[in-house]
Amino acid sequence: MRRLAAGLAIAVALAALPSWATNQYQVHLATLIGVYWVLIAGLNLVVGYSGQLSIGHVGLLAIGAYVYAVLAGTWDWPPLLALAASGAAGGLCGLLLGLPSLRLPGFYFAMATLAFSLIVAELSLAMGSVTGGGTGLAVPGFPAPFDTPGGLYWLVLGIAGIVTLLTWNVASRMWGLALIAIRDSPVAASAAGISIFRAKLTVFVFSGVTAGLAGALFAALQSYITPDTFAFDIGLFFFVCIIIGGRGSILGPFLGTVVLTALPEVVAPLAKLGNFFYGALLLVVVLVIPEGIGHLVEIAAARIARRRRHESHVVQPDLPRLAAALARGPAA
Amino acid sequence: MLSVIVSGLAVGAVYVITALIYNLMYSTSKVLSVTTGHICMLGGVFGAWFTTVLGWPVLPALLGAVAIGTLFGVVTELVAVRRVLARSDEHLWLLSTLALATMTQQAVGLWWGTEPRRFPRVIPQDFSHGAADQKFWLPIGVMVVAALGLELFYRRTMWGKLFQATSEDAFAARARGISTDRVRMMSYAISGALGGLGGFAAGQLTFAYFALGLTLTLNGFIAIAVGGLGSSVGALVGGLALGLLSAFATYLFGGEFQQTIAVGLLMLVLLIRPEGLFGARGVRAV
């Protein structure tokens, strides 16, 4: 009950953000975090739960963005329909990428996704007649009531909320357990009757859909996209958010997304270091706390809880009675 | 047509060198390091820095580039591999080497700049020789020397035999008194030296460019995946085939679809022969 109330309070506070934010930039930043989270929430099922290290999801983000820009901009589709179409396109490309590459072992899969993101970058440059080539494309925004910064924020918040709910449902039921089993021991998982390839492919396609949606929202937020917008670096950023937040948790990667998106904006020198900072953070986390910072928070919370319980069981010695018993001596 | 073949062979030679480094590191540690291409990148960038900025003659600059490569190999082993191998999670080395590669690339980008820079002439030669230009033949020469040298090293020297023993079965090797940690360190140092040499030799072809590392990591990986992991012949065939293929693809269709075609080759081979053309069929891990 208290948890529900806290959740409601957070939801209301988040929904009211455009009214209590002191400037437009904060709304923009919150929207950007939301857009990233739509992608990362889906990717988290692939990377954090089933342990498939996809470092090339930026390719799917770019596909979603270009599909939205072309359909809503060049072809004059209604933007909300184009949004749905870019989600579908992301899912389809996820399926096409996942069918061959999810059969490959760890490093091979990571390299296949890396190659995929490079191919998307190459094709978006090469097919200039559709994508505008290096000069890029202007992207139309969403219609009212989503045409203001606050409105776009609400749209992103709504989609992020739905995606979070979906991933939470997947992660906390049998599916999540099956994915963790695949991550930790594929042989044991298949012995327990889990169809490994189908489970992996399903979550990968789901992550493709969320990446496509995130791409469309990202394009509408940026309002102009070029192939340079979707450099390999952002793909790495998504990946780092999940690993730093902690695998096998939803709160951890969410905190990772918020902190890593906001930190370079707040601390200017970090923005200049860019990838070096993310790389160093990743290295420290892998070497020191491979379970991620979210795991550290969980341990700390468990320890505090245990200490409280422990303290409540402390028995205060009854000193006067003890002294009396000692004074009487062993004879009594 | 001759120039297309020669430039394809030269680009392929760079891929072969990267693939040989992959094999060398993999043999002793069972780690496919993301930093592999970055070693060659460092060789090229530092070679250009020593010669053009510091004004060193060619030979000291070459030795300097090899030294930097060796140092980076050792650092990779110490920072990203040794501690991670102590734990059994198979994904962690991918993350740690990826982190180190990202840091290296960004640090070089901040210090050296993000534009490709000119690499000086290594041997005095004017630019009128076409296909006989040194920028093509230097990497090919280094590739031949490296492949033959590694083969001799494996077959004729004690250290080479230690490498092979560690590669076959690290536990048995340790039981026979081999310090597998030292062997692994040695293999990373040799990989670094080879990468420094290769990056220096290929400098005129690739330019001194900070983002070269990631491209080489991917293409060198395609070469070993096509040729077969752990096989020197496979690395040679895979790398040269990839180089020739991308040269002809550029010649026929233009340079825009190079990566797409390279990855198409990778997917085709992996679908038909998952262990690569010359690789040993692995036993399923249980």
Side-chain angles (χ1 to χ4, degrees):
Chain A
M1 200 60 208
R2 245 175 62 193
R3 189 172 278 188
L4 191 72
L8 268 179
I10 291 174
V12 169
L14 279 178
L17 185 121
S19 55
W20 57 260
T22 47
N23 56 36
Q24 289 296 322
Y25 181 67
Q26 288 175 357
V27 179
H28 177 86
L29 193 60
T31 316
L32 188 65
I33 292 175
V35 170
Y36 283 161
W37 174 243
V38 170
L39 185 145
I40 291 174
L43 182 63
N44 185 26
L45 288 180
V46 175
V47 173
Y49 281 86
S50 57
Q52 305 300 309
L53 303 180
S54 167
I55 50 180
H57 253 62
V58 63
L60 294 167
L61 182 82
I63 286 173
Y66 273 110
V67 166
Y68 176 78
V70 169
L71 289 184
T74 319
W75 291 11
D76 275 332
W77 282 28
L80 288 175
L81 191 64
L83 174 69
S86 44
L92 186 68
C93 292
L95 181 72
L96 290 180
L97 170 64
L99 271 178
S101 63
L102 278 170
R103 297 174 195 274
L104 303 173
F107 187 80
Y108 282 58
F109 175 74
M111 281 290 139
T113 57
L114 165 65
F116 173 73
S117 73
L118 293 182
I119 288 178
V120 170
E122 201 174 77
L123 290 185
S124 61
L125 259 178
M127 304 197 311
S129 57
V130 184
T131 61
T135 44
L137 274 180
V139 185
F142 287 98
F146 305 123
D147 51 350
T148 60
L152 184 61
Y153 169 77
W154 280 321
L155 179 67
V156 170
L157 187 70
I159 293 178
I162 294 170
V163 168
T164 313
L165 201 66
L166 285 175
T167 52
W168 187 78
N169 266 332
V170 169
S172 59
R173 302 279 147 77
M174 285 299 279
W175 268 92
L177 293 180
L179 294 175
I180 290 176
I182 290 173
R183 181 189 74 193
D184 291 342
S185 171
V187 177
S190 79
I194 298 167
S195 167
I196 294 185
F197 183 68
R198 230 164 86 194
K200 287 199 288 195
L201 190 63
T202 312
V203 288
F204 196 76
V205 170
F206 176 72
S207 80
V209 173
T210 63
L213 289 175
L217 296 171
F218 183 76
L221 179 68
Q222 303 287 351
S223 76
Y224 197 88
I225 52 172
T226 65
D228 285 344
T229 322
F230 306 101
F232 171 67
D233 305 2
I234 335 184
L236 202 65
F237 165 80
F238 298 143
F239 187 74
V240 170
C241 286
I242 294 176
I243 300 295
I244 286 179
R247 286 179 280 169
S249 125
I250 287 181
L251 187 65
F254 179 68
L255 292 179
T257 313
V258 173
V259 171
L260 287 188
T261 313
L263 208 56
E265 310 285 342
V266 180
V267 190
L270 289 182
K272 212 184 114 205
L273 283 178
N275 266 347
F276 186 82
F277 168 64
Y278 296 136
L281 211 55
L282 180 62
L283 192 63
V284 168
V285 166
V286 168
L287 291 183
V288 183
I289 24 170
E291 294 86 4
I293 289 172
H295 183 72
L296 214 60
V297 174
E298 270 168 36
I299 292 179
R303 191 165 292 171
I304 290 167
R306 200 180 310 143
R307 190 175 301 152
R308 277 209 199 111
R309 207 179 314 135
H310 189 68
E311 279 166 359
S312 70
H313 285 287
V314 167
V315 180
Q316 288 293 335
D318 191 350
L319 288 174
R321 254 177 80 189
L322 189 66
L326 284 175
R328 255 177 281 146
Chain B
M1 189 46 100
L2 180 69
S3 67
V4 178
I5 294 176
V6 171
S7 78
L9 284 178
V11 172
V14 186
Y15 298 159
V16 171
I17 294 169
T18 321
L20 288 174
I21 300 174
Y22 263 119
N23 274 340
L24 197 53
M25 288 179 168
Y26 182 79
S27 71
T28 55
S29 61
K30 304 297 168 212
V31 164
L32 289 167
S33 173
V34 185
T35 56
T36 307
H38 296 76
I39 301 178
C40 292
M41 181 270 288
L42 285 177
V45 166
F46 273 90
W49 185 60
F50 288 141
T51 45
T52 56
V53 180
L54 298 188
W56 293 8
V58 168
L59 195 62
L62 173 65
L63 291 179
V66 170
I68 293 282
T70 313
L71 188 70
F72 185 64
V74 170
V75 167
T76 307
E77 203 274 338
L78 282 178
V79 174
V81 175
R82 175 164 297 199
R83 296 201 40 167
V84 165
L85 281 188
R87 300 204 185 89
S88 62
D89 189 335
E90 67 157 317
H91 291 321
L92 281 179
W93 52 259
L94 172 53
L95 301 179
S96 59
T97 56
L98 179 68
L100 191 65
T102 312
M103 286 166 69
T104 311
Q105 176 165 337
Q106 188 70 15
V108 172
L110 286 173
W111 165 69
W112 181 251
T114 51
E115 291 295 314
R117 287 213 227 163
R118 192 179 67 85
F119 196 92
R121 284 305 217 190
V122 175
I123 307 165
Q125 186 190 29
D126 58 43
F127 288 90
S128 61
H129 293 274
D133 196 278
Q134 55 175 289
K135 73 174 178 184
F136 299 126
W137 294 104
L138 277 176
I140 296 178
V142 168
M143 170 196 78
V144 171
V145 169
L148 288 179
L150 278 179
E151 211 55 29
L152 273 180
F153 173 75
Y154 278 132
R155 292 183 185 202
R156 293 291 164 86
T157 66
M158 194 63 198
W159 269 103
K161 298 224 188 302
L162 295 187
F163 274 38
Q164 281 187 319
T166 311
S167 162
E168 288 286 324
D169 189 335
F171 284 106
R174 195 172 310 163
R176 298 293 293 165
I178 298 173
S179 166
T180 47
D181 277 354
R182 202 179 298 164
V183 168
R184 197 170 58 229
M185 173 74 95
M186 187 76 179
S187 82
Y188 276 72
I190 295 176
S191 308
L194 177 58
L197 180 66
F200 190 89
Q204 298 172 55
L205 190 68
T206 59
F207 299 107
Y209 182 38
F210 86 113
L212 178 70
L214 200 64
T215 323
L216 279 187
T217 295
L218 179 64
N219 285 317
F221 168 74
I222 295 178
I224 51 164
V226 168
L229 186 56
S231 153
S232 290
V233 180
L236 276 170
V237 172
L240 290 179
L242 182 61
L244 284 174
L245 185 74
S246 36
F248 274 100
T250 311
Y251 178 69
L252 294 175
F253 310 113
E256 292 146 340
F257 301 104
Q258 228 174 16
Q259 203 68 58
T260 315
I261 290 168
V263 175
L265 172 74
L266 170 70
M267 286 296 166
L268 195 70
V269 172
L270 285 181
L271 283 180
I272 300 168
R273 269 182 77 91
E275 69 277 10
L277 296 175
F278 296 93
R281 192 177 285 269
V283 183
R284 195 169 64 100
V286 177

